[in-house]
Amino acid sequence: MGKITIEQSQSPKTKPDQNNLGFGNYFTDHMFIMDYTEGVGWHDPRIIPYQPLMMDPATMVFHYGQAIFEGLKAYKARDGRVLLFRPHKNMARINISNDRLCIPPIDVDFGVEAIKALVKLEKDWIPEAEGTSLYIRPFIIATDPYLGVRPSLTYKFMIILSPVGAYYPEGINPVKIYIESKYVRAVKGGIGFAKTAGNYAASLKSQVEAQNKGYTQVLWLDGVERKYIEEVGTMNIFFKIDGKVVTPLLEGSILDGITRDSSIALLKHWGIPVEERRISIEEIFQAQADGKLDEAFGTGTAAVISPIGSLNWNDNIITINNGQTGEISKRIYDTITGIQSGAMEDPFGWTISVE
Ligand SMILES: *Cc1c(COP(=O)(O)O)cnc(C)c1O
């Protein structure tokens, strides 16, 4: 792959107001890019000024969706260090997605080096206000200009950076979730476990309909029986029932979230029982009827933890924990964000410094 070359931008942008960033609105001065050519492998890793791509209209990604992505965050710690949270996990997951989409693998360590090099160059872009961070978006697209259906022989791996605001400016707040019984997101044997554009394309219609009904996100049920719980929009899901925390098993149709994995590790570390297993939607509504449903929350890089205040399943609506943020949700949120921002001790060695 060789050494990463750097071409500095000659026209740095004005940095946005840190208190009004939102999510994914602003991009930094530079981007990372490297190419793949069949027979040559990945080559020409470079950091260049952030710029549009010029592509042939026949470029395969536009037509057949061979595209994968990742998402992670960099934080500036109070002591000035720039921290990444478990970046090797993201780069390992890229290869799981790549394999499913017939995209050639990248070298995990090199991928982390590329992230580090770009973040280091852009470190003045990392916002410092409470709850803000620099979102990192690595992605790969198929680039052959060709309309036949087959895996592309050329690809681009890119990394772009976006300063993002606190997901919940007023602290974490429970959201209303609509349980989707009409559309499905994925089935076993499909691409549900890959972080790929197509899964999002499949989810938009349901998302829009739920939002029109006043819900923040949808909870997906399994694609065969519409019976077992899968995940929420861009997050994995957890429930606390009768003192025990449960989350759906990874069976090929949901994403193996890094926040999910970190939450399970923390729960085990705290001695709180946690199970990965099939959970039917009836079980959740029954637990609520029995007074045993204590908490529900989503996990994902963007929001970290998103408490769930209510669920609507075929117009049966339940309010969880009186619509308040639960104790476990809050504790996991405080701990993960504390570790990510360097404010708390990191007993698992999850963070790495870019320098
Ligand atoms: C990215 C993503 C998640 C969350 O994964 P994290 O690694 O925790 O950010 C969950 N579900 C889907 C569908 C995703 O794309």
Side-chain angles (χ1 to χ4, degrees):
M1 262 148 324
K3 198 172 147 5
I4 302 170
T5 60
I6 299 179
E7 181 197 334
Q8 292 272 358
S9 167
Q10 294 311 309
S11 47
K13 304 172 196 169
T14 310
K15 297 199 175 53
D17 173 11
Q18 291 208 6
N19 300 309
N20 219 346
L21 292 168
F23 185 86
N25 294 312
Y26 301 99
F27 302 97
T28 68
D29 291 319
H30 300 87
M31 61 200 258
F32 173 88
I33 182 162
M34 83 177 162
D35 301 300
Y36 179 88
T37 311
E38 179 95 333
V40 180
W42 288 106
H43 60 92
D44 290 315
R46 57 207 185 269
I47 291 172
I48 58 174
Y50 191 94
Q51 58 192 267
L53 303 171
M54 178 90 94
M55 293 202 290
D56 192 293
T59 300
M60 289 185 85
V61 67
F62 299 142
H63 304 275
Y64 307 124
Q66 232 191 332
I68 63 87
F69 66 95
E70 272 301 326
L72 67 160
K73 286 171 169 176
Y75 289 82
K76 198 171 277 175
R78 271 185 222 129
D79 60 11
R81 282 178 312 151
V82 172
L83 300 175
L84 300 174
F85 186 72
R86 311 187 76 185
H88 291 87
K89 276 237 169 236
N90 294 89
M91 293 300 105
R93 189 169 66 188
I94 264 196
N95 285 339
I96 291 170
S97 303
N98 281 348
D99 181 65
R100 183 65 182 79
L101 276 285
C102 293
I103 297 171
I106 61 153
D107 182 283
V108 170
D109 290 327
F110 187 79
V112 173
E113 286 314 308
I115 292 173
K116 281 180 165 177
L118 184 62
V119 170
K120 194 170 150 184
L121 181 68
E122 304 286 58
K123 70 169 185 286
D124 292 345
W125 278 89
I126 307 175
E128 291 177 39
E130 176 75 25
T132 63
S133 59
L134 185 67
Y135 184 77
I136 304 166
R137 168 56 60 91
F139 64 107
I140 300 177
I141 56 169
T143 54
D144 281 7
Y146 178 63
L147 290 185
V149 177
R150 58 148 171 81
S152 181
L153 303 175
T154 60
Y155 297 88
K156 282 189 191 301
F157 172 85
M158 286 172 273
I159 307 171
I160 55 175
L161 305 176
S162 175
V164 297
Y167 211 79
Y168 303 104
E170 280 98 54
I172 59 173
N173 263 319
V175 293
K176 287 169 67 179
I177 301 286
Y178 186 81
I179 300 170
E180 180 59 70
S181 302
K182 182 164 56 162
Y183 305 111
V184 299
R185 172 183 175 272
V187 289
K188 289 181 188 71
I191 56 174
F193 65 93
K195 217 168 166 72
T196 179
N199 286 325
Y200 284 83
S203 75
L204 296 176
K205 179 95 174 151
S206 162
Q207 172 83 17
V208 168
E209 289 183 10
Q211 278 168 355
N212 289 343
K213 294 186 188 113
Y215 291 83
T216 314
Q217 291 225 356
V218 300
L219 169 58
W220 297 103
L221 300 178
D222 79 88
V224 178
E225 296 181 81
R226 313 276 204 285
K227 177 172 176 177
Y228 296 102
I229 289 171
E230 299 246 304
E231 60 178 318
V232 195
T234 59
M235 295 184 287
N236 295 110
I237 190 164
F238 286 72
F239 299 91
K240 181 162 167 265
I241 303 172
D242 207 11
K244 224 184 240 171
V245 179
V246 295
T247 191
L249 197 63
L250 302 173
E251 290 185 289
S253 53
I254 65 170
L255 199 86
D256 181 358
I258 294 164
T259 321
R260 173 188 183 276
D261 183 78
S262 306
S263 300
I264 292 171
L266 282 173
L267 289 162
K268 288 185 175 160
H269 183 67
W270 294 331
I272 296 169
V274 48
E275 284 175 0
E276 296 172 67
R277 61 171 173 82
R278 283 195 174 174
I279 307 161
S280 70
I281 189 63
E282 286 103 330
E283 178 184 347
I284 297 304
F285 276 66
Q286 190 58 51
Q288 170 75 9
D290 296 343
K292 292 181 174 168
L293 181 61
D294 304 326
E295 284 184 48
F297 56 94
T299 64
T301 295
V304 185
I305 299 293
S306 188
I308 296 170
S310 71
L311 290 173
N312 176 334
W313 181 36
N314 298 328
D315 291 330
N316 298 309
I317 300 173
I318 57 174
T319 301
I320 302 167
N321 195 33
N322 298 316
Q324 303 297 308
T325 297
E327 217 176 289
I328 299 268
S329 311
K330 181 83 170 73
R331 188 172 176 198
I332 297 176
Y333 178 82
D334 288 345
T335 310
I336 293 182
T337 55
I339 292 172
Q340 286 174 331
S341 63
M344 273 171 85
E345 181 198 352
D346 175 14
F348 304 96
W350 280 339
T351 53
I352 64 166
S353 169
V354 306
E355 284 158 301

